[in-house]
Amino acid sequence: MRHQFGQGQSGQGRSGQERSGQERSPAGTARVTELAAALRATVRGEVDFDAAGRALVTMDASNYRRVPVGVVAPRDADDVAAALAVCRAHGTPVVPRGGGTSIAGQATGTGVVLDFTRHMNRVLAVDPEARTAVVQPGVVCDTLRDAAAEHGLTFGPDPSTHSRCTIGGMIGNNACGSHSVAWGTTADNTLELDVLTYRGDRARLARGGHEVPAPLRSAVETLVADRLALLRTGYPELPRRISGYALDELLPEKGRDWARAFTGSEGTLGVLTEATMRLVPAPAARALAVLGYPDESAAAEAAAGLLAYGPLTVEGMAADLVGEAALGVLPAGGAWLFVETGGADPAEARAAAETIGRAAAADLTGWKVVADPAGQRALWRVREDASGTATRLPDGGEAWPGWEDCAVPPARLGGYLREFRGLLRDHGLRGAPYGHFGDGCIHIRIDFDLLTPPGIARFREFSVELADLVAAHGGSLSGEHGDGLARAELLPRMYGDELVGVFEEFKDLWDPDGGLNPGVLARPAPLDANLRFTGLPVKPGPLAFSYPHDDGDFSAAVRRCVGVARCRVTTPGSDVMCPSFRATHDETHSTRGRARLLHEMLIGEVVTDGWRSPEVRDALDLCLSCKGCRSDCPVGVDMATYKAEFLHHHYAGRRRPAAHYAMGRLPRWLALASALRLAPVANTLAGLGPLAALAKHLGGIAPERDIPPLATAPF
């Protein structure tokens, strides 16, 4: 009942039917039903074609939204093969998905989504002598790092989402993280990959390609041999070149490394089922030099010069991303570089950090060295939360990804940043740059208006001009997060039409049916199609709460969730968020999952019952209203308030569950019992089995629970 929420924004881009690839006709519905039945008969893992399951994977952490027909959680590689066979027989595309933290839209759902986080999420082996680990694609980055740490090793790449992103997703995007100046990209740490093509062929990818199926190997080697000159000259030289397919890794002088060539392919070539990753020695001790500069351009100019000291990180951020509390622990400045050093012991690590501080001192507004682990973690938390906090500007305005991770040669970063700031001013846009300054990679959230046609047109115009600016500086449109739906359309501006044509040929050799993640990388969808804001209503109302920080707009409150998934962290720590996800490990019961369901409720395409939606009600049922998300979520999602809003409308004019009356009015019942001195009587009756069972039934209390005794003396 979409009309409940008022007029939806039409925006631009494709319709919901085009986004999802579904047909609304009875014949289309029958085909989806047949597909679901065939998958359930073949796959041992869960098959979910319900509205709630689909709603959870329509989005990742990007500006984009695509609606799948269903979700499959395979248990092993054979399950993946079975799912691919069924989807192929039904002409249905497949998208592999990890933690859903991608920022370019490549993990959004279309066709059938393969969720690897449910079952295929283990570290299978660690070989400390060879410094390798064998993992499944759904294993979380930090889980691998913890397993490696038992042997004094670590996995080098560590995106800011390392506590919830998966290795499969990192391979798909060729993710990097803050330590890439020391340990490289995911491709630099990938040794062997087991993959399945859409047609079900198994391939083990490694240097030489000896275990690649002969027809595929021969065809790809012919493609490379025919384009040797183009592949040798068509790629820019820089440490963070992530955009496009890494076909140059198949050149003979590079050892024809099929694993590296596959890394960064964003689920468009094959489906990963197992990976052998390189591990590196973990420094016994670390220290952090925090260097203050007048502004981010000065910090950017200085970053490349610090690489000679062999740091583990050179991360940059400006003051407009730092809250008042964090400013108090940073040295004076308008921007900072976080330069981490390692050593055999704390003294050696501190000495290395102090050497860097003294060497840079002439250009600094202030600096400090932090050697204690707790202090370092607190400062890194400020940096890692930037991808969320940058979504809200200091005046409360919304800002979005889309140009989240362009990269240029580090020596050109300062000049690029100045021109980038000028381009923002020319378009009347704002944003706060931060990121991996040592590698020339900049993150930023920009206050695009993605709700109205004029705003979306400006988004497109800015994107084209920025792509040209990046290319002029010898850079890469993506330096970490991949091209996805956000930048793939613009790859010809970086590589030229001829090399992009070779990308399409490469894709066709792997996936001649076009069944894997269509619309991404090869023959991409327009960058202004599939926007996740299309269809959201304008200020749905009337509302029970005022939402003062969102201009009274419940849609804007729900939009706060950008999908960075801090609520999916399950390791012990200082965070409260999200207790129901920690208990269930089910996305439905995470803050992000609930926000996604509310988003889909407002659009009305997948979740169609509006405020009466049973899917949203069930997802909110385990929410404790603890307000943990209000403090722990980088963008301040307040699910307790959203739950109260939803339940107010959901039960308007209807009888509520008994527990709502029993527990919601508990203070009244306790006051009445105290006034009438009924506590001793109530306690006696609660001890009688049949009466206690009746009371629990009437009060909506689970029969397994004991009724706690009332205090006989009021207080």
Side-chain angles (χ1 to χ4, degrees):
M1 293 184 290
R2 183 169 160 182
H3 64 275
Q4 294 181 27
F5 303 115
Q7 179 64 42
Q9 292 281 12
S10 60
Q12 289 185 357
R14 301 177 180 180
S15 69
Q17 179 175 327
E18 291 173 312
R19 284 194 303 268
S20 65
Q22 298 178 66
E23 297 179 39
R24 300 291 183 170
S25 66
T29 301
R31 280 193 286 271
V32 171
T33 302
E34 291 171 4
L35 171 64
L39 286 167
R40 291 189 178 105
T42 308
V43 175
R44 290 177 293 111
E46 293 86 349
V47 176
D48 189 352
F49 275 56
D50 293 339
R54 294 164 55 219
L56 294 173
V57 296
T58 58
M59 293 171 273
D60 49 17
S62 72
N63 297 328
Y64 296 94
R65 172 181 175 269
R66 295 186 295 178
V67 180
V69 296
V71 183
V72 172
R75 291 189 174 274
D76 53 28
D78 290 340
D79 248 7
V80 176
L84 286 169
V86 171
C87 290
R88 185 171 65 253
H90 287 77
T92 301
V94 171
V95 176
R97 179 178 168 109
T101 56
S102 295
I103 300 180
Q106 59 268 63
T108 56
T110 188
V112 167
V113 172
L114 299 180
D115 176 7
F116 285 99
T117 63
R118 196 90 54 90
H119 302 298
M120 297 180 68
N121 56 12
R122 294 182 296 133
V123 176
L124 300 177
V126 174
D127 185 338
E129 298 300 322
R131 294 179 180 172
T132 61
V134 180
V135 301
Q136 294 178 311
V139 70
V140 170
C141 179
D142 272 3
T143 302
L144 172 57
R145 295 168 77 195
D146 290 344
E150 297 177 10
H151 306 281
L153 303 171
T154 191
F155 182 62
D158 59 339
S160 62
T161 54
H162 54 81
S163 58
R164 59 269 192 199
C165 71
T166 65
I167 297 298
M170 293 175 67
I171 291 169
N173 295 347
N174 195 8
C176 303
S178 59
H179 288 87
S180 61
V181 294
W183 297 320
T185 68
T186 298
D188 295 322
N189 294 276
T190 299
L191 298 175
E192 296 181 349
L193 302 174
D194 288 353
V195 304
L196 283 161
T197 69
Y198 185 68
R199 291 189 172 181
D201 295 322
R202 296 177 185 263
R204 187 165 183 81
L205 309 181
R207 292 181 70 85
H210 303 298
E211 296 182 67
V212 177
L216 175 61
R217 179 182 176 187
S218 175
V220 170
E221 287 181 350
T222 298
L223 175 66
V224 171
D226 289 346
R227 308 298 176 89
L228 283 176
L230 178 62
L231 296 180
R232 285 169 173 155
T233 61
Y235 289 91
E237 289 293 329
L238 71 161
R240 288 291 193 97
R241 192 208 76 211
I242 305 301
S243 282
Y245 291 122
L247 265 165
D248 57 327
E249 296 294 346
L250 295 175
L251 289 167
E253 60 266 30
K254 292 192 174 184
R256 295 190 174 94
D257 195 329
W258 284 72
R260 288 182 67 103
F262 184 91
T263 302
S265 58
E266 302 183 23
T268 62
L269 303 180
V271 179
L272 176 69
T273 59
E274 190 173 290
T276 302
M277 311 304 291
R278 176 183 289 112
L279 304 176
V280 296
R286 305 188 192 206
L288 185 63
V290 185
L291 313 180
Y293 293 87
D295 54 46
E296 83 261 2
S297 291
E301 295 278 7
L306 301 178
L307 299 178
Y309 295 91
L312 300 178
T313 71
V314 183
E315 297 289 287
M317 63 188 304
D320 41 11
L321 271 176
V322 180
E324 290 295 327
L327 283 172
V329 300
L330 292 170
W336 298 269
L337 292 180
F338 286 23
V339 186
E340 187 180 74
T341 57
D345 54 51
E348 183 179 337
R350 173 183 275 278
E354 289 176 343
T355 296
I356 291 173
R358 286 192 296 269
D363 299 320
L364 302 179
T365 53
W367 65 284
K368 65 188 291 187
V369 170
V370 181
D372 68 287
Q376 292 179 58
R377 282 195 299 271
L379 286 167
W380 278 122
R381 172 75 174 267
V382 174
R383 162 62 186 87
E384 290 173 355
D385 280 353
S387 61
T389 55
T391 304
R392 280 295 185 275
L393 298 174
D395 63 1
E398 295 175 305
W400 306 108
W403 286 96
E404 181 69 16
D405 63 320
C406 298
V408 298
R412 303 189 67 164
L413 182 59
Y416 165 74
L417 258 180
R418 282 189 290 272
E419 292 186 59
F420 177 73
R421 283 285 197 183
L423 188 62
L424 285 174
R425 287 192 297 271
D426 291 345
H427 286 270
L429 297 169
R430 298 175 297 159
Y434 64 100
H436 314 293
F437 283 20
D439 270 337
C441 180
I442 293 298
H443 296 320
I444 188 169
R445 299 288 170 103
I446 301 172
D447 65 337
F448 297 119
D449 167 16
L450 299 177
L451 298 173
T452 68
I456 295 170
R458 182 168 61 166
F459 166 63
R460 166 172 281 281
E461 182 182 358
F462 175 85
S463 297
V464 171
E465 292 185 27
L466 181 55
D468 290 340
L469 176 62
V470 172
H473 279 271
S476 176
L477 303 185
S478 170
E480 179 164 28
H481 298 302
D483 300 305
L485 300 171
R487 289 176 289 268
E489 180 193 351
L490 301 172
L491 286 176
R493 310 187 89 87
M494 173 183 169
Y495 286 120
D497 291 333
E498 185 179 5
L499 185 51
V500 170
V502 177
F503 291 167
E504 293 176 358
E505 293 181 59
F506 186 55
K507 159 74 171 177
D508 291 343
L509 293 176
W510 278 90
D511 180 24
D513 303 303
L516 292 177
N517 212 356
V520 171
L521 276 182
R523 302 178 189 89
L527 62 87
D528 51 358
N530 303 300
L531 292 173
R532 71 183 179 100
F533 312 101
T534 301
L536 278 176
V538 181
K539 292 192 175 181
L543 299 171
F545 294 90
S546 61
Y547 305 99
H549 300 296
D550 297 292
D551 195 27
D553 185 352
F554 184 67
S555 290
V558 171
R559 287 199 305 268
R560 280 181 174 269
C561 178
V562 292
V564 295
R566 267 278 298 281
C567 50
R568 284 180 57 95
V569 177
T570 58
T571 51
S574 59
D575 286 1
V576 174
M577 181 178 69
C578 175
S580 53
F581 179 78
R582 289 172 183 260
T584 65
H585 289 232
D586 184 343
E587 173 85 2
T588 309
H589 301 297
S590 68
T591 305
R592 182 178 73 172
R594 293 170 178 129
R596 292 294 182 250
L597 283 160
L598 287 167
H599 189 113
E600 294 298 335
M601 178 194 81
L602 291 170
I603 289 178
E605 179 186 353
V606 179
V607 177
T608 57
D609 293 324
W611 294 116
R612 301 296 200 201
S613 164
E615 297 90 357
V616 178
R617 179 200 63 209
D618 292 347
L620 290 169
D621 186 52
L622 293 186
C623 173
L624 302 180
S625 297
C626 66
K627 293 278 187 177
C629 49
R630 185 69 182 87
S631 58
D632 293 343
C633 176
V635 291
V637 169
D638 185 0
M639 193 54 62
T641 299
Y642 307 167
K643 176 179 180 178
E645 183 75 57
F646 174 82
L647 293 178
H648 169 76
H649 295 283
H650 186 74
Y651 289 110
R654 298 196 295 174
R655 185 183 298 276
R656 287 174 173 261
H660 288 208
Y661 299 103
M663 299 300 164
R665 295 177 178 173
L666 186 60
R668 298 184 188 180
W669 308 137
L670 293 176
L672 181 63
S674 175
L676 299 179
R677 302 187 181 279
L678 295 176
V681 176
N683 291 338
T684 299
L685 295 176
L688 301 177
L691 288 177
L694 177 62
K696 285 186 279 189
H697 175 72
L698 294 175
I701 300 170
E704 298 85 358
R705 292 191 177 277
D706 294 328
I707 298 178
L710 301 181
T712 55
F715 57 90

